[in-house]
Amino acid sequence: SQQGEEDPQALSIQEGENATMNCSYKTSINNLQWYRQNSGRGLVHLILIRSNEREKHSGRLRVTLDTSKKSSSLLITASRAADTASYFCATDAGGKLIFGQGTELSVKP
Amino acid sequence: EAGVTQFPSHSVIEKGQTVTLRCDPISGHDNLYWYRRVMGKEIKFLLHFVKESKQDESGMPNNRFLAERTGGTYSTLKVQPAELEDSGVYFCASSPGQGKAVTPLHFGNGTRLTVT
């Protein structure tokens, strides 16, 4: 069964707006990671949040984790056209990362 | 440092043929993973090597898929014979570390496989 499920599947916003993506998972985890994929390229790691952490920041990125609800969110503030990409959450449920379908983010200039 | 490299970037083969994908991880990374993404669906785990040993191959679809990691360096993923449903993008990723938790993975750009 799929572990990470992102929501929404697609998101279109204007430059300067904030983008929020959500991720739900099913089993207990060691950590949860967010990745970005630009078209035709590999995934790039953005941020890792451990199971005992509730919030983490990195530049314009803010990640929250609610282990009681088995959910996480990624907030990108002041979005730029260059943020256009697919975003994936991945859960570490023991030895490997399990990815979801991703959220396709389009930021219009 | 050189990143994870995958070869070829694209491959188009006919049903029934054989294809071998190659991955060169970042030097010194003991962990090597293979993933596959089919038609916009989730990125699905295939298998995990620690050095030359298969740690977890629970995601391998069937026995038409064979993965090897010679001497704990580069890895190959062979599909023989290929079927139409094998089409997709195959990603390789590597990471250092031997702890229980998975550290951030470094991905290659993937091999886009099309089976016609």
Side-chain angles (χ1 to χ4, degrees):
Chain A
S1 61
Q2 189 168 302
Q3 173 74 323
E5 294 187 23
E6 290 89 345
D7 171 58
Q9 291 191 351
L11 180 61
S12 182
I13 59 174
Q14 293 294 130
E15 211 167 20
E17 294 180 338
N18 295 341
T20 300
M21 289 160 266
N22 302 297
C23 168
S24 61
Y25 58 92
K26 294 184 173 66
T27 64
S28 60
I29 60 172
N30 294 317
N31 63 58
L32 184 144
Q33 303 178 30
W34 285 90
Y35 288 78
R36 183 187 72 216
Q37 185 195 16
N38 291 91
S39 181
R41 306 300 299 270
L43 282 75
V44 174
H45 177 260
L46 295 176
I47 196 166
L48 179 153
I49 186 165
R50 293 183 174 79
S51 59
N52 61 354
E53 297 175 312
R54 292 297 168 258
E55 187 171 314
K56 204 160 183 181
H57 297 254
S58 176
R60 293 184 296 112
L61 305 180
R62 172 178 170 256
V63 169
T64 62
L65 179 65
D66 186 335
T67 52
S68 66
K69 294 182 180 178
K70 293 186 168 57
S71 66
S72 173
S73 68
L74 171 67
L75 168 67
I76 304 174
T77 60
S79 63
R80 306 166 182 168
D83 294 329
T84 294
S86 295
Y87 291 81
F88 296 87
C89 72
T91 50
D92 170 12
K96 59 182 180 263
L97 290 185
I98 304 298
F99 289 84
Q101 290 185 333
T103 292
E104 286 196 30
L105 175 65
S106 174
V107 182
K108 299 178 181 178
Chain B
E1 86 187 343
V4 176
T5 56
Q6 292 187 242
F7 181 84
S9 57
H10 294 82
S11 180
V12 180
I13 62 172
E14 293 183 354
K15 177 182 171 181
Q17 290 186 323
T18 297
V19 63
T20 300
L21 313 181
R22 173 169 171 147
C23 169
D24 286 77
I26 293 173
S27 177
H29 281 193
D30 288 341
N31 296 290
L32 187 149
Y33 301 82
W34 284 98
Y35 286 87
R36 177 175 72 175
R37 191 178 195 203
V38 175
M39 285 296 292
K41 295 185 178 179
E42 75 269 24
I43 298 173
K44 195 170 180 183
F45 168 81
L46 296 179
L47 88 160
H48 171 207
F49 284 100
V50 176
K51 297 183 180 179
E52 68 276 7
S53 300
K54 291 177 185 175
Q55 184 76 14
D56 182 347
E57 52 183 332
S58 61
M60 295 288 263
N62 49 60
N63 59 10
R64 295 185 294 104
F65 289 74
L66 175 64
E68 295 180 325
R69 190 179 183 191
T70 307
T73 56
Y74 71 91
S75 175
T76 57
L77 179 64
K78 180 191 287 188
V79 185
Q80 178 183 30
E83 298 288 345
L84 297 179
E85 64 263 26
D86 301 333
S87 296
V89 181
Y90 289 77
F91 290 103
C92 175
S94 71
S95 71
Q98 299 172 1
K100 188 177 180 181
V102 178
T103 53
L105 303 186
H106 300 256
F107 278 81
N109 286 336
T111 294
R112 181 174 294 276
L113 175 64
T114 303
V115 183
T116 62

